[in-house]
């Protein structure tokens, strides 16, 4: 049985089914923060690499 429903098979699902927990806004915010962190880490790495080369 699928989470939170009486559907016993995926073939019976006619529309979109979302079994996530919490709000989608929370996951969007987490994703945005992770993207910003990756950009900051990349910028730091590139800056250090340029300083090492000259």
């Amino acid at each position: 049985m699928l989470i939170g429903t009486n559907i016993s098979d995926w073939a019976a699902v006619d529309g979109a089914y979302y079994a996530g927990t919490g709000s989608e806004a929370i996951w969007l915010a987490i994703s945005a923060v992770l993207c910003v962190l990756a950009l900051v880490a990349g910028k730091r790495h590139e800056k250090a690499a340029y300083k090492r080369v000259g």
Side-chain angles (χ1 to χ4, degrees), residues 22-52:
S23 172
E24 289 185 20
I26 293 171
W27 294 113
L28 177 63
I30 291 171
S31 298
V33 168
L34 289 174
C35 287
V36 169
L37 288 175
L39 288 170
V40 169
K43 183 177 179 180
R44 283 184 175 176
H45 179 271
E46 288 295 314
K47 190 174 183 180
Y50 281 122
K51 282 184 179 180
R52 278 194 302 264

